[in-house]
Amino acid sequence: MVRRRRLSSAAQRRGDLVADWVERFCCHVKGDLAGRPLHLEQGQRQGIREVFGPVGRDGRRRTRTALLGVPRKAGKSTRAAALALYMLVADGEPGAEVYAVAGDRDQARNVFDAARMMVEASPMMGRHLKVCRNWIEFQGGNALFRVLSADGRRQHGLNPHGVIFDELHVQPTPELWEAMTSGMGARSQPLTIGITTAGYDRQSICYELFDYGRRVESGQVADP
C-alpha cells in the first residue's frame, strides 16, 4: 500500500522479474489490442516494483496490502488479472489460493474473465492451467484462482495467498474485506490488491486504506 520512492537495486530487479513475467505470458483481451502481449508503461512497471520488490530480513515480501487507483477504461481489470495469474503460478507459494472478489459477483468476474481469456490465448499457460467456469486450476502447483460471491459471511475459513478486490470504493461494508484478509495468517507472503477508480465516501474501507498510506508516506505513522 505504501509507495516507496527509493528502492534498492535488488528490489527493483525483483519487481522487474514480475513485470517481465506479465509481459511475457499475458496479453490484452479486449479491443483492437486483443491477443497482443501486454506492454507495461514505466509507471505501471514501477508500481509492480514497489509492491513485489521490497523484502524483509527473512527474504519474504514486505508489502501485504496494495491500493491501486486507476482511471476508468484504463485497463485495470487486465493488469489485475495478470497479477492474479502471477500469484497463482509463479509466486513460489505451495497450494496457492487466489481470489477475485468485489461488491457483487458480476464485478468480480471482470478480473476473473480477463484471466481466463489470457490463459486461453496462451499455449504455454494452457498446457499447465485448467479453466473452469468459476476457477482456474494450476495442476502442477495444486493451486486455484477462484471468483467469489460478495457475501462476506460465507467467505470466512478460506486460506488466501492472493486477493484481487475490484471497485473497492463502492464496497458497502468492510465485512468482505475483513473476511478475506483475516484468513491469510498461514501464508508466508500474502498479498491483497484493492483496485479503485475515483471515490468520494470518506466512511469507506477504501478511504481508510488511502488515508493510512498517505500518513505513512508523510511519516505520521510507521508502516509495520
Side-chain angles (χ1 to χ4, degrees), residues 22-222:
V22 167
E23 291 188 331
R24 179 180 179 185
F25 293 107
C26 300
C27 66
H28 293 276
V29 296
K30 294 181 180 180
D32 294 339
L33 296 176
R36 296 184 184 181
L38 281 181
H39 174 72
L40 298 170
E41 298 176 359
Q42 186 57 36
Q44 296 168 344
R45 179 174 282 265
Q46 181 64 15
I48 290 176
R49 290 174 182 147
E50 291 166 351
V51 172
F52 287 87
V55 298
R57 293 181 179 179
D58 58 2
R60 296 175 180 175
R61 185 168 50 237
R62 289 188 60 190
T63 301
R64 303 302 170 95
T65 306
L67 182 62
L68 177 63
V70 183
R72 293 185 182 278
K73 306 301 180 182
K76 65 182 177 65
S77 296
T78 302
R79 274 185 283 157
L83 293 177
L85 289 172
Y86 175 84
M87 288 189 285
L88 177 69
V89 305
D91 208 20
E93 181 70 17
E97 296 177 20
V98 181
Y99 296 96
V101 299
D104 64 75
R105 193 183 182 101
D106 289 341
Q107 183 65 47
R109 288 205 69 92
N110 287 339
V111 171
F112 178 83
D113 286 343
R116 173 183 56 78
M117 287 185 278
M118 287 180 189
V119 173
E120 292 172 344
S122 169
M124 175 66 74
M125 286 199 288
R127 287 197 291 270
H128 299 282
L129 299 176
K130 177 182 178 182
V131 177
C132 299
R133 174 174 171 75
N134 294 321
W135 70 86
I136 298 171
E137 180 181 0
F138 176 36
Q139 296 170 309
N142 190 31
L144 284 175
F145 174 34
R146 293 179 56 197
V147 60
L148 294 181
S149 68
D151 190 344
R153 294 171 297 178
R154 298 181 180 180
Q155 311 312 343
H156 290 280
L158 300 176
N159 185 19
H161 166 63
V163 176
I164 304 293
F165 207 121
D166 201 5
E167 296 292 0
L168 185 59
H169 67 287
V170 297
Q171 185 65 23
T173 73
E175 184 177 13
L176 181 56
W177 176 274
E178 292 170 356
M180 299 306 298
T181 55
S182 65
M184 290 180 154
R187 295 296 183 176
S188 62
Q189 50 178 12
L191 177 60
T192 301
I193 300 177
I195 311 172
T196 182
T197 50
Y200 58 86
D201 185 2
R202 296 196 173 195
Q203 304 302 317
S204 65
I205 181 66
C206 183
Y207 184 80
E208 289 180 13
L209 293 169
F210 168 77
D211 186 58
Y212 175 77
R214 185 173 57 181
R215 287 186 288 122
V216 169
E217 286 188 324
S218 66
Q220 297 178 46
V221 296

Side-chain angles (χ1 to χ4, degrees), residues 14-26:
R14 283 189 293 268
D16 280 336
L17 288 175
V18 179
D20 291 344
W21 188 94
V22 167
E23 291 188 331
R24 179 180 179 185
F25 293 107
C26 300

